[in-house]
Amino acid sequence: LNMSSSVTNISEHLSCPLGFGHYNAVDICILETVVIVLLTFLIIAGNLTVIFVFHCAPLLHHYTTSYFIQTMAYADLFVGVSCLVPTLSLLHYSTGVHESLTCQVFGYIISVLKSVSMACLACISVDRYLAITKPLSYNQLVTPCRLRICIILIWIYSCLIFLPSFFGWGKPGYHGDIFEWCATSWLTNAYFTGFIVCLLYAPAALVICFTYFHIFKICRQHTKEIHDRRARFPSHEVDAAGETGHSPDRRYAMVLFRITSVFYVLWLPYIIYFLLESSRVLENPSLSFLTTWLAISNSFCNCVIYSLSNSV
């Protein structure tokens, strides 16, 4: 009976969009709780592993993109730690002003952390673009000091862009909708959503598309030139030149391109629903929950891509 009453309390405090009837709602709430707890564990464990690998492998620091990858790992780790908030709220549920403040802070922090990941992916693509298009001057253009300044600016920009949500202008995302106040009292705003899309989502996506398009175009041209040279002058020198040319850069770019692609595949449903709901075209709590936690699951997917794409 105590377990039944506890589950009933959980079902009252959580948004259970798929529930039709009391028992069905309880089952859905338990399913949502399992999803949140599992993702929280995977995100924390996966990103701790990535951070540990970078700490124990000094050779990885020779790659300039390691600065951004480690920043993403720390941001994703904090996402996992932040996800402990809705998990713990299942046991200690607060109401009134405390719930609204917790909801706002939680949604803001998650939005900022994912903005950092998105900006880091864009910076990685620019870094690889410079490495391939300007190989001779790359070391002078990309220095550790400039990389650190860039990372600091990413954090500052991410914190500022979502700050208007604290002053009543829109909602940064659905990450806090596990709380009832977030789901019912904190409404989205089409202008604020457009503001976020124009200043964050769209620029990052355009930069990534532009850079990777030219990266693979240059690598394809380089590979074609190597094949032509091999056909004209079949010698060991040409083979050695081809092996030490852009092929490592292309493989490295492919790994980063997979990470970026998975990021946008998982985040695109969230962004589309965010736009539709802000415009009052579509409102579905179940889609809100599914797209939100699908997007948050990207914080764990990066770790899987690292291990599957690159044994080093």
Side-chain angles (χ1 to χ4, degrees):
L1 289 175
N2 290 335
M3 183 181 296
S4 175
S5 61
S6 299
V7 171
T8 302
N9 290 333
I10 291 174
S11 68
E12 291 174 354
H13 298 323
L14 288 175
S15 57
C16 301
L18 301 178
F20 299 96
H22 173 71
Y23 292 104
N24 209 4
V26 171
D27 292 338
I28 294 301
C29 284
I30 293 174
L31 177 61
E32 291 181 0
T33 305
V34 171
V35 170
I36 295 172
V37 172
L38 180 62
L39 279 179
T40 301
F41 171 76
L42 291 176
I43 291 170
I44 293 176
N47 286 285
L48 280 177
T49 303
V50 173
I51 294 169
F52 176 77
V53 168
F54 271 98
H55 178 73
C56 296
L59 289 177
L60 291 175
H61 295 280
H62 293 172
Y63 293 99
T64 54
T65 49
S66 67
Y67 288 86
F68 296 113
I69 292 176
Q70 289 182 84
T71 302
M72 288 172 56
Y74 279 107
D76 290 337
L77 175 64
F78 292 143
V79 168
V81 173
S82 299
C83 289
L84 291 173
V85 174
T87 303
L88 295 176
S89 71
L90 302 178
L91 301 176
H92 303 284
Y93 184 76
S94 58
T95 57
V97 65
H98 299 292
E99 180 192 352
S100 62
L101 181 61
T102 302
C103 166
Q104 287 181 310
V105 172
F106 175 72
Y108 173 78
I109 290 176
I110 294 289
S111 298
V112 168
L113 293 173
K114 298 315 298 178
S115 172
V116 170
S117 295
M118 193 175 296
C120 282
L121 289 172
C123 289
I124 286 174
S125 68
V126 174
D127 176 82
R128 290 299 87 200
Y129 176 78
L130 293 175
I132 290 180
T133 58
K134 300 181 182 298
L136 299 179
S137 58
Y138 174 76
N139 291 330
Q140 286 74 36
L141 290 173
V142 183
T143 62
C145 180
R146 290 178 180 177
L147 288 172
R148 293 188 185 97
I149 292 174
C150 182
I151 290 172
I152 292 173
L153 291 176
I154 286 173
W155 281 98
I156 294 175
Y157 184 78
S158 299
C159 290
L160 291 177
I161 195 172
F162 290 102
L163 202 57
S165 62
F166 273 112
F167 301 98
W169 190 34
K171 183 177 179 180
Y174 300 101
H175 312 101
D177 278 3
I178 198 70
F179 302 100
E180 184 179 358
W181 187 89
C182 277
T184 58
S185 302
W186 198 12
L187 301 179
T188 56
N189 183 291
Y191 295 106
F192 181 71
T193 303
F195 170 78
I196 297 297
V197 170
C198 292
L199 293 185
L200 178 63
Y201 298 152
L206 291 174
V207 167
I208 288 170
C209 290
F210 174 84
T211 52
Y212 278 113
F213 173 79
H214 285 84
I215 285 171
F216 291 118
K217 181 181 178 181
I218 292 170
C219 288
R220 187 166 55 249
Q221 291 174 348
H222 187 81
T223 303
K224 184 177 180 299
E225 290 175 2
I226 291 174
H227 288 315
D228 292 341
R229 290 177 186 176
R230 284 177 177 173
R232 294 180 182 179
F233 311 102
S235 65
H236 296 290
E237 294 181 359
V238 175
D239 291 340
E243 291 176 0
T244 59
H246 282 236
S247 56
D249 283 333
R250 185 180 182 183
R251 286 196 299 269
Y252 193 42
M254 277 299 298
V255 174
L256 299 172
F257 180 71
R258 291 190 193 107
I259 294 171
T260 306
S261 300
V262 170
F263 182 92
Y264 277 97
V265 166
L266 294 177
W267 271 84
L268 192 59
Y270 171 84
I271 295 172
I272 292 174
Y273 179 78
F274 196 23
L275 289 170
L276 293 176
E277 205 279 339
S278 300
S279 305
R280 304 296 183 265
V281 175
L282 176 65
E283 187 172 354
N284 189 314
S286 61
L287 285 178
S288 170
F289 178 84
L290 293 174
T291 56
T292 295
W293 291 94
L294 181 67
I296 290 178
S297 69
N298 175 258
S299 297
F300 166 70
C301 292
N302 287 343
C303 312
V304 178
I305 298 171
Y306 295 149
S307 58
L308 294 180
S309 300
N310 195 330
S311 60
V312 177

